[in-house]
Structures are given as structure tokens and as C-alpha cells.
Amino acid sequence: MKRVITYGTYDLLHYGHIELLRRARALGDYLIVALSTDEFNAGKGKKSYFTFEERRRMLEAIRHVDLVIPERTWEQKADDIRMYHVDTFVIGDDWTGKFDELKEHCEVVYLERTPEISTTQIKAGLAGTA
């Protein structure tokens, strides 16, 4: 079984997220999503509209997702890869090069983002600034 892992906040879930999850799952047989906790987001200066538990439940309802785990720190990725026997780490191409050190543990794939949508864009549109 080929295991794939990806990381993110997945707030204001939209079709760009679904497309990334679909494409990540297509790279293997089992998709793990490490979901940023509210505390981790606060440390990054981010606040989600939905709580961690609400976002977790939404992700668990998506057929492409097999397991949701908490992302509590930047540094946990290598441990997660070992603990869950991950073959492929996947993340959006806006992070290209940022996780190349994980190549010593598994394959690293930077997927092209869906260009016409983002959570930032949605939030700006709802605020009337888009």
C-alpha cells in the first residue's frame, strides 16, 4: 500500500482543496491529511473561521481522505512520515523547495494549485475587498 500525506489548514473548504486532495490521493492508495490545529494556526498568526474539530469532520467526510491527524508543529513532518510509513509527501506548489529536506524520508511532490481559487481570495471577496 502506497501512503501519501499532505498538510494544511483547510478553512473555508473549497473546490481547490478538493482538487488537491483528489490529486494527492491519486498518487497512492491511502491519504493522510495533517490538519493544522487552532493553536498551531494562532502561532502562525492565522485564525480559522471553523474550529479544528469542524474542519476535521469536513475532511473526514471527503472520500479521498482516509485519515486526519493533527498538525501541531512545523517540525513534526519527518516524525509523521516515519510513524505512518509514508511514501509520498504532497503539498501545493506555493511551497516549492520548502520541504526538500523530507526527500531523505520519502518522495516529495509539489502539486500545482488551482489558480482561480484560494481561501484568501474567498475571505477578501466576503469582506468586499476583492
Side-chain angles (χ1 to χ4, degrees):
M1 177 184 295
K2 187 170 182 184
R3 293 174 175 251
V4 178
I5 195 166
T6 191
Y7 289 75
T9 299
Y10 297 97
D11 194 26
L12 300 182
L13 195 63
H14 55 72
Y15 71 88
H17 291 136
I18 302 299
E19 184 64 8
L20 183 134
L21 295 170
R22 182 191 66 76
R23 292 171 57 215
R25 178 62 159 74
L27 295 173
D29 306 301
Y30 190 87
L31 178 61
I32 302 162
V33 177
L35 179 64
S36 299
T37 63
D38 298 329
E39 296 78 16
F40 183 48
N41 280 338
K44 296 186 285 184
K46 294 173 71 175
K47 172 134 176 57
S48 295
Y49 182 83
F50 293 106
T51 67
F52 171 82
E53 285 303 320
E54 291 166 332
R55 292 179 288 120
R56 181 186 58 78
R57 285 195 303 271
M58 285 189 279
L59 285 170
E60 288 175 342
I62 297 169
R63 68 179 177 170
H64 309 299
V65 176
D66 295 293
L67 177 66
V68 178
I69 63 171
E71 179 187 23
R72 293 186 176 96
T73 70
W74 288 109
E75 298 78 23
Q76 78 182 63
K77 291 172 180 62
D79 289 338
D80 290 345
I81 289 166
R82 283 189 292 274
M83 183 183 315
Y84 293 99
H85 309 287
V86 170
D87 301 288
T88 306
F89 169 92
V90 175
I91 201 148
D93 65 356
D94 51 326
W95 292 96
T96 297
K98 300 281 196 266
F99 297 106
D100 286 352
E101 75 277 0
L102 297 175
K103 289 179 180 178
E104 68 184 71
H105 304 288
C106 66
E107 176 184 21
V108 175
V109 176
Y110 298 99
L111 289 178
E112 183 178 348
R113 291 175 57 102
T114 306
E116 63 275 5
I117 189 71
S118 73
T119 301
T120 303
Q121 179 186 8
I122 291 171
K123 286 179 178 179
L126 291 173
T129 59

